[in-house]
Structure formats: structure tokens, C-alpha cells
């Protein structure tokens, strides 16, 4: 795989049984690239190993005053220099390719898993952890894959060099061969402690960053209540903890580096002293001593790869474990005998909520959290912890088994939402998402142009202009047209920043509503679709939704009288059960609980109101609705 061939047509099915197994799977899937990098690494290392004999021959030729041997030695050194440059260049090229392609494979796997799970992902793993895995952890995993081939080349080169030194000069070669394993393994006992300190530093840095983000996000509120200095002191303490952890981590890694310098230095000094004694006694020649010393000096270069691979594995193993935790999540789609997307009434057997086909149904809940949960349930998202998502890494534990048993129990007790009599959890995932679309109260706008924002899978019956008009996005289009860099001022070509930060809350909400309307699902579930707009715009948006969705099932969770008055029917859900169904004005007169939610009255206020006061207040609300 070359970088120009990315992304992978299929990133494969990863081994998510553990972090080390995942790293092995990555290396095995890039075996060709690893062998190529190892081959260039061997050329580079062996060319470096060839320099000491060539230099030794040259020194001995000078001692023997042999011009021909000196010329041959010079030519050999020149050839080795070319091979070293070629091997080093191609080793770097292939190793970096392995790094990038491995990181790209992991990112593709994460993107595929995110698309597969959708909203279910953040129910089992925090969104921040997913981002951390796809950025920092991916880089560390790629580092290990990249370092693996260079380590293999260095290890092979060390074996060849030691064998060559023993054959060339046994008296000094045996000393080098015995000392090298000790040098390579000397720092291994220190690596676990160094890794723990580095993990602690990253953990404290993450907490400090989270605290800083929260402080910045709530800076206006903090200033209003005089809490700015308080949070500044908290961040100062957190940053000092990060500094102390970083110093402790740096001390350990500096100790490891010092050992890597000290022990090879001791080897070289011992080699020089012992070799000089042998040369003085005439047991070896000066050129042989220079050859062995040069070879031992160059051995320090491949030895660094032992330290690097140990560090890379120490850092990448927890990163791979975090990646495995995300990739091991899976959604279990039950086999379905339903061939086409069902149509008909949307019914929740748990609450008794019935949204008749083709009608605009408004749902009133006194608890906003309950409304959000019910909206997700209508879209088939409610059982994500029980029957749709499983964690392969955690299920091997006793707790995982107990969780599965609890999930199975909850699955048996909680029936699925029905669309046209067909349970949503028996539909294939793509069919279920095509049939029912849920827009939550805080929809997300991705960066891109307005045309790209509205370019979503749809039935084709609703155009972008119709959806924008129904969502009352005229002022949004005007502001985008003014900001458009296109010569014709086309708002569809204006780029929207990430999460729509360049727009107001009401503009973001209406654009998200237009995107949902373009999709034109069989059943559309809207959670507080007009909470961020003024009353006049709210009435027009509600009328636009009803007109555009004529003949299609629409469910809107709201408590605004302006929207409720336009609904074909209103359903009151109290404590998880439907307790009243009817028209908005009818429920205002007949149901005190409904009136309390819509008019924002407390129980005490309802108790002291006389019937005449209640009638006056209801009439006032109706007059406001009629004027709007």
C-alpha cells in the first residue's frame, strides 16, 4: 500500500481481543511494507557495518605502505557511502509510509465504527475519548508499526556484525558479542515505571485542558457571579500538577538515556584498553584493533532502535487498548423478514403514545429529559445499551457477563416501537434510519457549504428550497449571501463554520430543521424544533412544517402554545405514560396537568386559581395565539 492509494478499499476486520493483538494484526496486514522497510534497513545497517573493515584495511595499508590496497580501501569506502545514503533514504521513505498507512487504517476503522454505531457510540464511550483515540493514540500506534521494521533490521544487523567480529577477531569479538545483550536489555526494568509516569502526565494534562475548556466556555457566567478568580486558581493548581508530573516523567526518561550512553561508553573504554594491550603484545595488528573499535562504535547506532521499540511499545500498547475499546463495540442487527420500509402509525407500547400516519402530532412532557429519552426511543435508539451495542473487550469479564444478563432481561421486558405494526428493532439498520428520523434538541452542523449541508440521503420529494422556506430560513440565506465569496452572492456556496459557530442559535436550529425536512423520512421526530427562535418565527416555522409534511407522519416534542395549536392532535405524557390526547384548546380547558405545563403554572398556583381566573387566563393565551 502506497500513500497515494489511500484510503483503503477495505481496512479489514481487526483483532480486538486485546491491545497487543491489535498491534500484531496491524503489523501482519502491512507485512509487505514491513519486509520492504526491513530490507532497506538491512542494506543501511550492513553498509554501516562494512565501514570499519574498510577503514581498518586502509589503516593497515598505510602501516604497510601499500598504495594499491589503500586505493582499493578508498574505493570500497566510497561504494559503502553510496549504499548507506541509498539505504537510509529508502528506509526513511518506507518506514514513514508504514506509519502513515497504519494510522490511516486505524482512522478508517474508527470512522467505520462511528458510522455503524451512530448515537450509540457515545453511550458507551465518551466523545472526548473517541477524539483522543483518532488523534494522539493513532499517532502512537503508527509509531510502533513504523519502528517495528527498523528494529527488526537493527536486530538482524547486530547478529550479523557480532558473528562477523567473532570470525574476524575472536579475542575481541567475543567481548563485544557478550556485552551487546546486556546493553540492549539494561533499560527494560525501567520502562514500566517510565510509562506509568508518562500516562499520569497525560491524564493530568487532559484534566487541565478540560478545566480550561469549561472555564472559557462559561467565562461570561463566571464574570457575572464573580467566580473568575476561583476557577483561575483551580486551573493554576491543575497546571502545576501537570508540570510536576512532566518533570517526574522527564527524570525517568533522562535516566534511561543516561544508561544508554554510560554502558556503551564503558564497553568502548574496556575494548580500547584490552585491544591496546593485545596490540602492544603483538597478538593483533593495529588495523584489526581499529576495525573492531570502529565496529563496536557503530553498533551503538542499531542499539538505539532497541530503546526506541521499547518506548514505542510502552506508549502504543495503552493507545491500542483504548482503540480496541472503541473498535470492539458492535451493533447486533437482528435478522429481518421485512423487505420494504414499513408505513403506518408510529406506536410506542411502553408509554402508549400513538402518532397516526400522515398527521402532525405534538407531544407535551413536563420533564425535558423524559421528552429526550422518548424521542430517542421513537427513533429506535433507546435500547442501545441492551440489544444493539456490545463490548467485546469487556464481555470477557464477570461484570460483562452480568451486564449481558441484565441487558437480556431488559430486552425481554421492554418492547420495541412499532411502525405500521413492524418493530423497529427487527428492521435492518439502514431501513430503520430511513423510516424514522430523530432530530434532537441540539443538532450538529458540520462544516462546509450550505449546499453540502443539505446534500443528504433523501426521498427526492422535498427540494432544498422548499425545506429552507418551510424552516423560515430567509434571513439566514440573506446573511449567507452577504458573506458569500462567490461573484453571484449565492448563499448555497457560502461556507458554514464548524458546528455553525458563525450563526446564531436560532439560525443553526432552523438550518438543521431544513436538513431534516429535506430527508423526508416516513416518520419525522423533532425534539423542541423551535426552542431557539422568537414567537413570531416559531408560529411560521410550525405552519411550514405542517404544510410541507402534509400526508407524512410528524411528531414534535414541544410545550409552546403556538406550535401545539397547529398540531392535528396533542398528546400529554406524564411520568412515562400517555394520560391525555386531544386538541390543544380542548386540553387547556379540561386537563390541569396539561395546563400547568403549557402555561408554566405551579401546583400551588393551580390550587388557588378560581374557575373564573382559569377561564380568563386560557382566553388570554388563546388571544395571544390568534394574534401570532
Amino acid at each position: 500500500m502506497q500513500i497515494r492509494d489511500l484510503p483503503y478499499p477495505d481496512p479489514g476486520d481487526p483483532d480486538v481481543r486485546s491491545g497487543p493483538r491489535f498491534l500484531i494484526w496491524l503489523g501482519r496486514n502491512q507485512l509487505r511494507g514491513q519486509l520492504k522497510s526491513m530490507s532497506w534497513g538491512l542494506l543501511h545497517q550492513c553498509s554501516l557495518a562494512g565501514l570499519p573493515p574498510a577503514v581498518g584495511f586502509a589503516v593497515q595499508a598505510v602501516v604497510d605502505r601499500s598504495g594499491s590496497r589503500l586505493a582499493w580501501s578508498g574505493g570500497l569506502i566510497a561504494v559503502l557511502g553510496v549504499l548507506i545514503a541509498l539505504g537510509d533514504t529508502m528506509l526513511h521513505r518506507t518506514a514513514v509510509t508504514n506509519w502513515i498507512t497504519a494510522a490511516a487504517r486505524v482512522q478508517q476503522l474508527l470512522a467505520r465504527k462511528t458510522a455503524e454505531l451512530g448515537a450509540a457510540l457515545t453511550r458507551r464511550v465518551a466523545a472526548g475519548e473517541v477524539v483522543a483515540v483518532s488523534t494522539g493514540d493513532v499517532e502512537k500506534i503508527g509509531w510502533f508499526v513504523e519502528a517495528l521494521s527498523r528494529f527488526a533490521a537493527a536486530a538482524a544487523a547486530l547478529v550479523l556484525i557480532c558473528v562477523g567480529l567473532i570470525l574476524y577477531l575472536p579475542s575481541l569479538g567475543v567481548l563485544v558479542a557478550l556485552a551487546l545483550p546486556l546493553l540492549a536489555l539494561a533499560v527494560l526494568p525501567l520502562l514500566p515505571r517510565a510509562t506509568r509516569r508518562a500516562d499520569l502526565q497525560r491524564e493530568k494534562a487532559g484534566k487541565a485542558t478540560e478545566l480550561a475548556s469549561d472555564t472559557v466556555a462559561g467565562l461570561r457566567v463566571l464574570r457575572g457571579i464573580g467566580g473568575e478568580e476561583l476557577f483561575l486558581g483551580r486551573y493554576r493548581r491543575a497546571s502545576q500538577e501537570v508540570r510536576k508530573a512532566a518533570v517526574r516523567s522527564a527524570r525517568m526518561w533522562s535516566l534511561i538515556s543516561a544508561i544508554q550512553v554510560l554502558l556503551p561508553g564503558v564497553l568502548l573504554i574496556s575494548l580500547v584498553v584490552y585491544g591496546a594491550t593485545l596490540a602492544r603484545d603483538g597478538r593483533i595488528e593495529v588495523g584489526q584493533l581499529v576495525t573492531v573499535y570502529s565496529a563496536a562504535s557503530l553498533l551503538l547506532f542499531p542499539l538505539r532502535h532497541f530503546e526506541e521499540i521499547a518506548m514505542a511499545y510502552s506508549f502504543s500498547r495503552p493507545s491500542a487498548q483504548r482503540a480496541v475499546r472503541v473498535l470492539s463495540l458492535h451493533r447486533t442487527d437482528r435478522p429481518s423478514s421485512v423487505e420494504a420500509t414499513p408505513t403506518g402509525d408510529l406506536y410506542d407500547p411502553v408509554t402508549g403514545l400513538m402518532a397516526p400516519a400522515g398527521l402532525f402530532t405534538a407531544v407535551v412532557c413536563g420533564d425535558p429529559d423524559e421528552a429526550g429519552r422518548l424521542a430517542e426511543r421513537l427513533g429506535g435508539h433507546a435500547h442501545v445499551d441492551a440489544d444493539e451495542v456490545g463490548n467485546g473487550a469487556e464481555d470477557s469479564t464477570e461484570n460483562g457477563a452480568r451486564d449481558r444478563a441484565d441487558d437480556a432481561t431488559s430486552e425481554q421486558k421492554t418492547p420495541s416501537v412499532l411502525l405500521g405494526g413492524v418493530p423497529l428493532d427487527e428492521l435492518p439498520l439502514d431501513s430503520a434510519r430511513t423510516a424514522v428520523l430523530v432530530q434532537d434538541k441540539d443538532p450538529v452542523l458540520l462544516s462546509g457549504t450550505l449546499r453540502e449541508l443539505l446534500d443528504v440521503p433523501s426521498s427526492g420529494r422535498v427540494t432544498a428550497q422548499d425545506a429552507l422556506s418551510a424552516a423560515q430560513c430567509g434571513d439566514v440565506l440573506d446573511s449567507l449571501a452577504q458573506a458569500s465569496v462567490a461573484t453571484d452572492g449565492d448563499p448555497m456556496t457560502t461556507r458554514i463554520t464548524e458546528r455553525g459557530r458563525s450563526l446564531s442559535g436560532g439560525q443553526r436550529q432552523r438550518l438543521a430543521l431544513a436538513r431534516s425536512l429535506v430527508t423526508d423520512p416516513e416518520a419525522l421526530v423533532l425534539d423542541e424544533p423551535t426552542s431557539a427562535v422568537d414567537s413570531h418565527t416559531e408560529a411560521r416555522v410550525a405552519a411550514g412544517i405542517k404544510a410541507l409534511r402534509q400526508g407524512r407522519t410528524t411528531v414534535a416534542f414541544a410545550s409552546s402554545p403556538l406550535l401545539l395549536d397547529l398540531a392535528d392532535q396533542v398528546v400529554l405524557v406524564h411520568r412515562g405514560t400517555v394520560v391525555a390526547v386531544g386538541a390543544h384548546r380542548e386540553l387547556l380547558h379540561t386537563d390541569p396537568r396539561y395546563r400547568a405545563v403549557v402555561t408554566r403554572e405551579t401546583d400551588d398556583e393551580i390550587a388557588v386559581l378560581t374557575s373564573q381566573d382559569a377561564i380568563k387566563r386560557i382566553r388570554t393565551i388563546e388571544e395571544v395565539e390568534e394574534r401570532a
Side-chain angles (χ1 to χ4, degrees):
M1 171 64 69
Q2 299 295 324
I3 296 178
R4 63 174 175 267
D5 299 325
L6 294 175
Y8 289 94
D10 180 12
D13 186 16
D15 188 344
V16 294
R17 288 176 291 178
S18 66
R21 289 178 181 272
F22 179 65
L23 292 175
I24 294 173
W25 177 84
L26 279 177
R28 190 170 63 247
N29 276 269
Q30 295 189 214
L31 188 59
R32 183 177 179 182
Q34 295 286 349
L35 292 176
K36 187 184 298 184
S37 181
M38 181 179 175
S39 300
W40 289 113
L42 276 175
L43 175 63
H44 178 234
Q45 299 284 353
C46 292
S47 299
L48 280 173
L51 282 178
V55 173
F57 293 154
V59 171
Q60 193 62 42
V62 172
V63 173
D64 296 340
R65 299 181 181 277
S66 174
S68 59
R69 282 191 294 163
L70 182 61
W72 277 105
S73 299
L76 178 59
I77 292 174
V79 172
L80 290 174
V82 173
L83 294 178
I84 291 172
L86 176 63
D88 194 20
T89 300
M90 297 306 298
L91 171 63
H92 178 76
R93 179 185 179 90
T94 53
V96 170
T97 299
N98 288 336
W99 185 338
I100 295 176
T101 52
R105 185 187 295 274
V106 178
Q107 287 179 326
Q108 278 188 252
L109 290 171
L110 291 171
R112 185 176 68 181
K113 183 61 63 175
T114 302
E116 174 189 341
L117 297 177
L121 178 61
T122 54
R123 294 179 176 274
R124 297 296 295 269
V125 181
E129 183 174 351
V130 178
V131 174
V133 171
S134 62
T135 54
D137 288 332
V138 164
E139 182 179 354
K140 294 180 179 65
I141 293 171
W143 177 27
F144 174 76
V145 174
E146 178 261 347
L148 188 60
S149 57
R150 291 190 285 109
F151 163 74
L158 284 176
V159 173
L160 293 176
I161 293 172
C162 289
V163 172
L165 286 178
I166 293 175
L167 296 177
Y168 176 70
L169 193 61
S171 56
L172 293 180
V174 172
L175 175 63
V176 175
L178 293 177
L180 279 181
L182 298 178
L183 297 180
L185 303 177
V187 298
L188 289 184
L190 300 177
L191 287 175
R193 182 179 299 179
T195 303
R196 287 194 297 271
R197 292 189 178 186
D199 289 340
L200 179 62
Q201 176 194 351
R202 288 195 295 271
E203 179 183 353
K204 291 184 177 297
K207 291 181 179 179
T209 302
E210 182 179 355
L211 179 61
S213 301
D214 293 341
T215 303
V216 172
L219 189 58
R220 181 179 299 177
V221 177
L222 292 177
R223 287 175 175 172
I225 63 176
E228 187 176 0
E229 288 298 326
L230 175 63
F231 275 81
L232 182 61
R234 290 182 181 178
Y235 179 73
R236 185 181 295 111
R237 290 190 295 271
S239 64
Q240 288 302 313
E241 292 181 1
V242 174
R243 181 188 62 81
K244 292 177 182 178
V247 170
R248 293 184 71 248
S249 178
R251 285 174 180 170
M252 183 57 64
W253 289 112
S254 63
L255 176 60
I256 292 175
S257 298
I259 293 175
Q260 289 291 307
V261 173
L262 175 63
L263 295 184
V266 172
L267 171 63
L268 291 179
I269 293 174
S270 303
L271 191 63
V272 169
V273 173
Y274 182 57
T277 302
L278 295 179
R280 185 189 59 190
D281 296 340
R283 296 167 61 182
I284 62 173
E285 297 178 348
V286 176
Q288 291 178 318
L289 175 60
V290 172
T291 299
V292 176
Y293 175 79
S294 301
S297 300
L298 289 176
L299 284 176
L300 303 184
F301 177 74
L303 271 176
R304 296 176 185 173
H305 293 294
F306 282 77
E307 178 188 0
E308 182 189 12
I309 194 64
M311 291 177 60
Y313 180 73
S314 298
F315 281 98
S316 64
R317 184 177 57 82
S319 295
Q321 193 61 47
R322 285 189 288 268
V324 161
R325 186 179 175 217
V326 176
L327 295 175
S328 61
L329 300 173
H330 62 274
R331 182 186 299 276
T332 304
D333 289 327
R334 300 175 182 176
S336 174
S337 59
V338 182
E339 298 181 357
T341 302
T343 60
D345 300 337
L346 185 64
Y347 175 66
D348 178 21
V350 175
T351 61
L353 173 62
M354 168 70 76
L359 296 185
F360 182 15
T361 301
V363 181
V364 176
C365 293
D367 183 3
D369 294 334
E370 181 183 4
R373 291 191 295 268
L374 181 53
E376 291 181 349
R377 176 170 172 75
L378 290 178
H381 298 284
H383 293 110
V384 72
D385 288 341
D387 58 349
E388 292 191 58
V389 177
N391 190 328
E394 297 175 350
D395 282 351
S396 60
T397 64
E398 181 181 354
N399 291 335
R402 186 163 53 250
D403 291 342
R404 287 198 307 272
D406 295 340
D407 291 343
T409 303
S410 64
E411 180 182 354
Q412 294 174 357
K413 292 181 179 179
T414 309
S416 172
V417 170
L418 306 178
L419 179 62
V422 179
L424 286 182
D425 60 4
E426 292 185 3
L427 293 175
L429 182 61
D430 54 350
S431 298
R433 296 297 171 260
T434 301
V436 183
L437 174 65
V438 179
Q439 177 179 303
D440 60 26
K441 63 181 64 177
D442 187 22
V444 176
L445 299 183
L446 302 179
S447 60
T449 64
L450 181 57
R451 180 175 287 110
E452 292 171 341
L453 174 68
L454 300 178
D455 184 16
V456 293
S458 64
S459 65
R461 287 188 290 263
V462 178
T463 65
Q465 294 302 325
D466 291 339
L468 290 169
S469 177
Q472 301 299 312
C473 295
D475 62 318
V476 184
L477 296 178
D478 292 339
S479 61
L480 292 178
Q482 293 177 1
S484 176
V485 296
T487 56
D488 57 355
D490 184 5
M492 303 298 289
T493 63
T494 303
R495 190 167 187 81
I496 299 173
T497 57
E498 181 185 1
R499 290 185 174 269
R501 290 191 174 95
S502 59
L503 305 172
S504 68
Q507 290 175 331
R508 288 196 298 269
Q509 190 176 59
R510 282 176 284 158
L511 283 181
L513 175 60
R515 180 180 58 188
S516 299
L517 293 175
V518 166
T519 305
D520 190 38
E522 179 64 29
L524 177 61
V525 180
L526 304 172
D527 189 4
E528 296 288 351
T530 58
S531 60
V533 299
D534 59 79
S535 58
H536 296 288
T537 305
E538 182 178 27
R540 294 196 299 268
V541 170
I545 295 174
K546 183 175 181 179
L548 188 65
R549 294 283 300 171
Q550 192 70 34
R552 309 284 276 174
T553 306
T554 306
V555 180
F557 287 81
S559 59
S560 168
L562 298 173
L563 188 148
L564 297 174
D565 194 43
L566 291 174
D568 295 318
Q569 73 167 15
V570 179
V571 178
L572 175 62
V573 177
H574 181 66
R575 295 181 179 178
T577 305
V578 173
V579 294
V581 179
H584 165 59
R585 298 173 187 266
E586 173 190 349
L587 293 177
L588 271 179
H589 288 279
T590 60
D591 197 305
R593 291 171 297 188
Y594 180 82
R595 185 166 61 249
V597 175
V598 175
T599 62
R600 310 295 196 272
E601 294 175 349
T602 65
D603 294 338
D604 293 337
E605 290 174 330
I606 296 174
V608 301
L609 279 176
T610 63
S611 59
Q612 189 66 27
D613 291 333
I615 293 173
K616 289 180 179 179
R617 181 167 296 191
I618 293 171
R619 288 177 178 174
T620 301
I621 295 174
E622 292 175 347
E623 291 175 359
V624 172
E625 293 172 356
E626 291 174 354
R627 287 198 299 269

